[in-house]
Amino acid sequence: MNPNVFYGKMGVTIKQIAADLKLAISTVSKALSDSHEISPETKARVFEYAERMEYKPNPYASGLKDNRSRNIAVVLPEIADSFFASAIDGIEAAAQTKGYHVMIYLTHEDAQREHAIISELRHRRVDGVLISVVSNSSDIPHLQGLYEHGVPVVFFDRVHTAIDTANVVTNDFDSAYSAASLLIRKGCKRITFLALRGDLNIIKDRTAGYLKAINDHGIDTQLNPVLTCGHQEDETMTLIRQRLTQEDSPDGVICSSEKLTTQTYSVCHRLKISIPEDIKIIGFSHLPIASLLRPSLTTVTQPAFEMGRTAATLLLNALDKKRTILKKESIVLPSMLIERDSTG
Amino acid sequence: MNPNVFYGKMGVTIKQIAADLKLAISTVSKALSDSHEISPETKARVFEYAERMEYKPNPYASGLKDNRSRNIAVVLPEIADSFFASAIDGIEAAAQTKGYHVMIYLTHEDAQREHAIISELRHRRVDGVLISVVSNSSDIPHLQGLYEHGVPVVFFDRVHTAIDTANVVTNDFDSAYSAASLLIRKGCKRITFLALRGDLNIIKDRTAGYLKAINDHGIDTQLNPVLTCGHQEDETMTLIRQRLTQEDSPDGVICSSEKLTTQTYSVCHRLKISIPEDIKIIGFSHLPIASLLRPSLTTVTQPAFEMGRTAATLLLNALDKKRTILKKESIVLPSMLIERDSTG
DNA sequence: GTGAAAGCGCTAACAA
DNA sequence: TTGTTAGCGCTTTCAC
């Protein structure tokens, strides 16, 4: 069969159906939406014919009227992080049940890229935006603009509190507090907290929780510092290696992100520092295979799927009611501290 | 500030600009597209005003004309698998550079869901589709229909050869052959190949490569069987556990998917079967942290990012040329067998 | 109960 | 060089 037969064969339009059935376009439109002002016979004819022709309304044509596409955007720093992968899973689940479609945008921790993406989203390609930001200090005006122009925004995980909208987070402060307390309880005297450069609320909260625990236990803060790492892999690995080989090297580490966690493990493996004997490690990570690591990793595990689903549901509910301004609220879903072998 | 001030404040339209500048709509349109038939002065005025008003064309309004949205769909079994996460990364990278937008659909290994999604995509919400199918036996008519109705389809990884379009795969047969050869070389006498239920080309190819290796080495096929697992976690774990505890239990396992790999590791850990002494393991997996597992895992690692990017590029190039029928071709990107401790 | 017509935001053929 | 008009596919008044 010649493939060109099909070339450009588009779906049937309402116009086509109207012509074929010798009806007015509006009659067909009403019939298809099961309007009461159309006779049962006509409806039947139209339905049957539409079915046979596999008619499907063009979503963007209908959307043109009320300016909706039923598309939402998800803007993320990266996707290779299992937290974000699971979050997307949750978002997609919520979207599918509500008849929305999910567009993915990756910022790769680059504020400029994020900026470009946000700008692009002003064009009304999507009805709303779910975002986990690159940094707190960047791009507030743009996000604010997006929001003000009728594209609602819901933050999740990495939030901007400067913008008055809904967000979904986890209890970062408390989790870090618990993590530090665990290490202290396990006898660690020189803990290092690995923070992430970039002015992020979640990192600030985790750091604060850690410091509070150190303080509450009356421990020397000098010996239990915070080490701030960047997003560059080589640089960070070097930093971690230096820290683990210096004099008075730490006997406990809390890694505030998934990447930092795996990087720390790598360094320990290479330097043959044994976990948990020489050093105990806790990672903020959603890794499903934490238990298969060498040794199995004690984690603060975020409710990633639920956070994604909750954020999406908040957004979608608003959209369904055609509300583009969301009540400022913060939904906090708890993380879990799961003890495994890396804390001995 | 009262948030309601902004409620529903949409972007400026070309109509608005025309009215404000006392120009015809078409003049503005042409000016904005830098048409040669508009005077420099008018252009300047329009540009400047559009800039000031932050005018952005509505993508779906323009798309209505030529029936394009510049959206593409990516249909995947799951996202928690690091292969697919990386593939999305590659797809998104290609899309961003070409000005396309990526929509994600998750089938969760469910043929019905896949079917529903494919149907939905017929509605011209997207200009093209990248898909990694749930199964070979399902849904050919629907995909064919999609394709024939002018929505080009490119398969990647899990392909349908029944449809005459482009696809991107990796050298599954050869990789499995190499994997089996490695185990044989390492002295394994009773290898089990864990296949995945569901009529997938990649699994068939991997299985075939494995069997060929067994044959080529003149080894007893009875003692080196293929065990087919399902997608249900509990069921699969039980199956694996039974296999590893039976009489004449295997001294080598090749896991044909990422999930099977981690499940096999879990079982070994629980049963305290030591890798690689009691059993050697190779996994088809893109896991970035394979080296951190206990013990580090020998993998067949797919070029996930490249596969995604290549598939997207094929599709996008066709779309740019308004070709909706793609030449039937198969691009094969090589996987890498990376030896680590799990094969001793 | 059905149809004509306007309009969503934009492009493009054709007039002026 | 600029403006008028028609039309993309669909919805929604408003007439008949």
Side-chain angles (χ1 to χ4, degrees), chain A residues 192-332:
Chain A
T192 289
F193 183 91
L194 298 184
L196 213 52
R197 185 159 51 227
D199 190 24
L200 284 169
N201 271 343
I202 54 167
I203 300 297
K204 284 190 212 160
D205 289 350
R206 290 172 189 179
T207 306
Y210 160 74
L211 290 172
K212 179 80 161 37
I214 298 296
N215 253 311
D216 283 3
H217 288 79
I219 297 180
D220 188 346
T221 317
Q222 294 294 82
L223 287 176
N224 294 269
V226 172
L227 178 63
T228 301
C229 306
H231 292 290
Q232 258 248 282
E233 177 132 1
D234 302 351
E235 177 198 330
T236 302
M237 295 282 276
T238 308
L239 209 58
I240 296 174
R241 186 173 328 118
Q242 284 170 351
R243 178 46 135 259
L244 298 191
T245 50
Q246 74 185 26
E247 225 183 319
D248 263 347
S249 75
D251 57 5
V253 175
I254 300 177
C255 308
S256 66
S257 82
E258 186 162 300
K259 220 174 234 163
L260 288 173
T261 308
T262 54
Q263 286 167 341
T264 303
Y265 254 57
S266 281
V267 171
C268 288
H269 282 192
R270 278 188 222 167
L271 298 181
K272 307 224 184 292
I273 299 176
S274 53
I275 314 170
E277 293 77 12
D278 300 341
I279 194 171
K280 303 193 196 307
I281 296 180
I282 300 181
F284 276 79
S285 164
H286 186 264
L287 271 182
I289 54 168
S291 62
L292 302 180
L293 292 184
R294 176 179 47 174
S296 67
L297 171 70
T298 295
T299 56
V300 173
T301 296
Q302 305 91 340
F305 183 94
E306 273 310 322
M307 286 172 74
R309 186 162 65 178
T310 305
T313 303
L314 278 174
L315 178 65
L316 265 26
N317 283 343
L319 288 176
D320 277 346
K321 291 183 203 130
K322 310 215 179 203
R323 288 213 33 62
T324 62
I325 300 286
L326 280 90
K327 190 173 86 222
K328 174 157 189 164
E329 67 179 319
S330 197
I331 297 189
V332 183

Side-chain angles (χ1 to χ4, degrees), chain A residues 23-24 26-27 30 37 39 42 64-65:
Chain A
L23 287 171
S26 57
T27 307
K30 286 173 191 165
E37 41 179 332
S39 74
T42 307
L64 209 52
K65 267 234 142 6

Side-chain angles (χ1 to χ4, degrees), chain B residues 47-343:
Chain B
F47 274 133
E48 191 262 333
Y49 192 71
E51 184 82 9
R52 211 148 52 72
M53 301 303 278
E54 297 184 312
Y55 167 79
K56 298 295 173 187
N58 179 320
Y60 300 129
S62 0
L64 209 51
K65 267 247 163 307
D66 40 359
N67 217 0
R68 351 175 48 185
S69 58
R70 292 200 158 261
N71 291 160
I72 60 170
V74 181
V75 184
L76 303 168
E78 56 176 329
I79 195 170
D81 183 300
S82 55
F83 171 82
F84 289 119
S86 280
I88 291 175
D89 212 339
I91 291 167
E92 207 265 352
Q96 263 193 39
T97 64
K98 292 217 154 224
Y100 278 79
H101 301 252
V102 179
M103 322 199 63
I104 297 289
Y105 296 88
L106 269 23
T107 59
H108 298 285
E109 302 287 5
D110 176 347
Q112 280 205 290
R113 235 184 202 179
E114 184 179 80
H115 183 95
I117 290 165
I118 305 287
S119 297
E120 177 79 29
L121 294 179
R122 284 268 282 278
H123 309 189
R124 300 229 121 249
R125 184 174 292 270
V126 297
D127 295 345
V129 175
L130 296 172
I131 185 169
S132 210
V133 299
V134 164
S135 153
N136 257 347
S137 38
S138 73
D139 224 17
I140 306 192
H142 253 72
L143 279 165
Q144 186 82 43
L146 188 65
Y147 192 39
E148 288 172 357
H149 279 276
V151 181
V153 176
V154 172
F155 294 97
F156 72 99
D157 197 48
R158 297 171 167 209
V159 307
H160 256 329
T161 47
I163 299 179
D164 287 350
T165 183
N167 67 49
V168 177
V169 295
T170 181
N171 57 347
D172 288 304
F173 182 95
D174 293 344
S175 307
Y177 189 95
S178 307
S181 302
L182 174 60
L183 288 185
I184 294 166
R185 206 160 62 238
K186 290 287 183 177
C188 293
K189 303 290 183 207
R190 301 180 310 282
I191 304 173
T192 289
F193 183 90
L194 298 184
L196 213 51
R197 185 156 54 224
D199 190 24
L200 283 170
N201 271 344
I202 52 167
I203 300 297
K204 284 190 211 160
D205 289 349
R206 290 171 188 179
T207 307
Y210 161 73
L211 290 173
K212 179 80 162 34
I214 297 296
N215 254 309
D216 282 2
H217 289 80
I219 296 180
D220 188 346
T221 317
Q222 294 293 83
L223 288 176
N224 294 271
V226 172
L227 177 63
T228 300
C229 306
H231 290 291
Q232 258 248 283
E233 177 133 1
D234 302 352
E235 177 199 329
T236 302
M237 296 282 276
T238 308
L239 208 58
I240 296 174
R241 184 170 332 113
Q242 284 170 352
R243 177 45 133 258
L244 297 191
T245 51
Q246 75 186 24
E247 225 182 319
D248 263 345
S249 74
D251 57 5
V253 176
I254 299 177
C255 308
S256 65
S257 82
E258 186 162 300
K259 221 175 231 159
L260 288 173
T261 308
T262 54
Q263 287 167 340
T264 302
Y265 254 56
S266 282
V267 171
C268 289
H269 282 191
R270 278 189 221 165
L271 299 179
K272 306 224 185 290
I273 298 175
S274 53
I275 314 169
E277 292 77 12
D278 300 341
I279 195 169
K280 302 194 195 309
I281 296 180
I282 299 180
F284 276 78
S285 164
H286 187 264
L287 272 181
I289 54 168
S291 62
L292 302 180
L293 293 183
R294 178 179 44 175
S296 66
L297 171 70
T298 295
T299 56
V300 174
T301 296
Q302 304 93 341
F305 183 93
E306 273 310 322
M307 287 171 74
R309 187 163 66 178
T310 304
T313 303
L314 279 175
L315 179 65
L316 266 25
N317 283 343
L319 288 176
D320 276 347
K321 292 183 203 128
K322 309 218 181 202
R323 289 213 33 65
T324 62
I325 300 286
L326 280 90
K327 187 173 90 224
K328 175 157 190 164
E329 67 179 319
S330 198
I331 296 187
V332 183
L333 301 176
S335 288
M336 285 200 311
L337 175 60
I338 304 173
E339 281 192 57
R340 297 200 185 82
D341 296 342
S342 68
T343 45

